[in-house]
Amino acid sequence: MKIGIVGAGSAGLFAANELGKTFGSDVKIKIFDAGPNIDDRTCPQKSEYECAQCDPCRIMSGVGGAGAWSSGILNLNKNIGGNLEDLCSKANLDINEIMNQIDNFFVANGAPNDIFDPYNNGGDLKQLKRKCAANDIRFIPIKQRLLGSKNTPKVIKSIVHQLGTDYDIEIIPNTRISTFSKDKTLTFEKGGKEQFDFLLIAPGRWGMLWLANICQKLDIKTYYEPLDIGVRVEVSSIIMEDICENIQRDPKFHIITPKYNDFIRTFCVNHKGYVVKENYEENIVGVNGHQISLNGESETSNFAFLIRQHLTAPLEDTTEYGRSIAKQTSILGGYKPLVQTLGDLRDGHRSRQSLIDRNPVQPSLNDYTPGDISMAYPYRFITDILEGLEILDNVIPGVNNNSTLIYAPEFKRSAKKVDVNKYLESKQVENIFFAGDGAGLSRGIVAAATTGIIAAKGIINKITNTM
Ligand SMILES: Cc1cc2nc3c(=O)[nH]c(=O)nc-3n(C[C@H](O)[C@H](O)[C@H](O)COP(=O)(O)OP(=O)(O)OC[C@H]3O[C@@H](n4cnc5c(N)ncnc54)[C@H](O)[C@@H]3O)c2cc1C
């Protein structure tokens, strides 16, 4: 029996581990990844670890997936990262057990023992919850384990080593799959093919367009998911200190905006971190945030402030819509992210470099264009952002200051969701399973791992029933 896995990210690795635990080396498992092996990634800036601030580090993927090059925050909460509880219960699995299993596996492979538990961090969680409740904000307390940018590659290395030595699982880097077919054959871009009994396709966001394309060719149904679009907000770190250091490292606040009833949320909070430029694709730039840099801690904290937007006919393609806004913003910024002070955005002025230079909050990103985000973003989104920050200021005083920096574009493309059964097997093609962010089934390291485990359980059921 042979199982082929596309993508050595969180979903692929955890699926492989589950399969290995059950079958040992009795079933041959191969994982293919388009990117390099964990040891072979080198940063042109010659940092010891990936700096995640230059294009080669950020665009490329590789063994360990996108999570390997992140600050590695493990969100240990069933409400974060997708409909995990629902997915697990359909597959007769207990979400809490699965999350513990994932967390324990990371710890066994070298993840730090410390955990950020909002209920036990010494901060005044009750007071924060009271303020949130009084201002119609939903705060999601999450137990989080922070691997840290430096540890994450070491943890991945240990997992890869364990899969190889314990279960003889082969992880094959630098091998991009150009297509897969209904008869479970993988075609390699560099030439050759290999047929398997089961396929698990887990290509992450890096491979989501590719995946949607192949699904269309194979008549595997996919659905558009909502778009997450917004800005990155940067403030003096002292403003976030109490919450980030004493309650929750990456606090999640959910708000419904008054005018449009839109859902807006904080995401990817980088306390004392850096804003980084991304190249979403040619001629489309964007921003993201990163926790640790070669320069050490910054004096600012940043977070994404994202609006969730569903679209219906005639334009259901949320990625295309997000891309068109990001493109417009990129053109206005001369292919650099736009930066504007919140004061200027509110007052309808373009920010000038001279103003940014004397702004109390200094940008942690160097490569930007001072500009006017309202020239690029729809009125509805600007309204949502201004209203959202005003409300958030009741819980994080100072976030709505004139000196707060707003960066655009920031959007998280949603993968198209593959039509799968309760074990994440295609409803149209038997024995092809899907997992992770690229199939629209998860968002985040732990969530992707959860879907990998569910898919693996599906494959295990099928194999054991035929044995
Ligand atoms: C900068 C950054 C920071 C992040 N920080 C966090 C965080 O702190 N906490 C958190 O929970 N999440 C974080 N995330 C998100 C997290 O990394 C992802 O949710 C998670 O890695 C998804 O896992 P996955 O297995 O679905 O896909 P991935 O981890 O993306 O892995 C997919 C793999 O598939 C490979 N692949 C794609 N297409 C092909 C193909 N055709 N052939 C062969 N291989 C292919 C890719 O090379 C990749 O290695 C971050 C993401 C980024 C980009």
Side-chain angles (χ1 to χ4, degrees), residues 184-396:
K184 272 63 74 186
T185 298
L186 295 179
T187 304
F188 307 114
E189 192 183 64
K190 54 190 176 190
K193 292 173 183 225
E194 187 166 355
Q195 194 175 18
F196 294 86
D197 301 288
F198 295 90
L199 290 182
L200 172 61
I201 313 292
R205 277 166 192 257
W206 194 79
M208 68 187 187
L209 298 177
W210 166 79
L211 173 57
N213 198 9
I214 307 284
C215 284
Q216 193 178 10
K217 286 184 186 152
L218 298 185
D219 293 324
I220 294 175
K221 270 197 201 148
T222 53
Y223 303 96
Y224 289 107
E225 288 285 279
L227 166 75
D228 281 320
I229 186 155
V231 290
R232 194 154 275 267
V233 177
E234 188 164 49
V235 295
S236 289
S237 58
I238 191 91
I239 285 178
M240 305 283 290
E241 196 169 280
D242 204 29
I243 293 176
C244 291
E245 294 183 13
N246 301 325
I247 298 178
Q248 192 157 296
R249 197 77 207 168
D250 179 13
K252 315 267 186 207
F253 296 102
H254 293 183
I255 297 169
I256 303 295
T257 61
K259 186 171 172 76
Y260 291 108
N261 275 336
D262 282 338
F263 171 71
I264 190 165
R265 63 185 173 122
T266 59
F267 177 79
C268 184
V269 177
N270 291 285
H271 178 52
K272 298 184 176 171
Y274 290 82
V275 176
V276 293
K277 177 182 156 193
E278 283 195 335
N279 283 0
Y280 289 144
E281 56 191 77
E282 206 182 340
N283 291 335
I284 303 187
V285 296
V287 282
N288 209 325
H290 201 253
Q291 195 82 40
I292 296 168
S293 136
L294 300 176
N295 306 324
E297 289 181 342
S298 78
E299 290 181 359
T300 54
S301 299
N302 65 75
F303 58 88
F305 205 38
L306 299 175
I307 302 145
R308 181 154 299 165
Q309 189 64 57
H310 294 260
L311 292 177
T312 49
L315 178 67
E316 292 165 69
D317 187 341
T318 42
T319 299
E320 194 47 43
Y321 181 56
R323 187 194 275 147
S324 71
I325 295 171
K327 188 160 192 181
Q328 188 158 286
T329 314
S330 305
I331 292 169
L332 268 174
Y335 302 102
K336 293 178 180 183
L338 283 182
V339 177
Q340 190 169 20
T341 65
L342 179 56
D344 277 346
L345 179 63
R346 241 186 321 245
D347 294 346
H349 299 147
R350 175 190 175 172
S351 281
R352 305 268 168 199
Q353 189 62 53
S354 52
L355 175 88
I356 303 274
D357 286 345
R358 58 193 167 86
N359 193 49
V361 182
Q362 282 297 299
S364 59
L365 175 73
N366 296 325
D367 198 16
Y368 64 84
T369 301
D372 185 358
I373 294 167
S374 69
M375 295 270 289
Y377 270 44
Y379 174 75
R380 177 175 182 144
F381 294 162
I382 297 290
T383 308
D384 286 340
I385 291 159
L386 295 179
E387 286 182 349
L389 288 175
E390 196 179 332
I391 295 171
L392 197 59
D393 197 69
N394 295 308
V395 173
I396 313 175

Side-chain angles (χ1 to χ4, degrees), residues 6-12 32-35 58 61-67 70-73 75 175-177 202-207 210 288 435-438 442-446 448:
V6 179
S10 181
F32 301 93
D33 201 290
R58 298 192 58 74
S61 209
V63 174
S70 74
S71 41
I73 297 171
N75 288 314
T175 306
R176 188 196 286 241
I177 304 301
R205 277 166 192 257
W206 194 79
W210 166 79
N288 209 325
D437 292 18
S442 62
R443 288 184 303 276
I445 297 169
V446 173

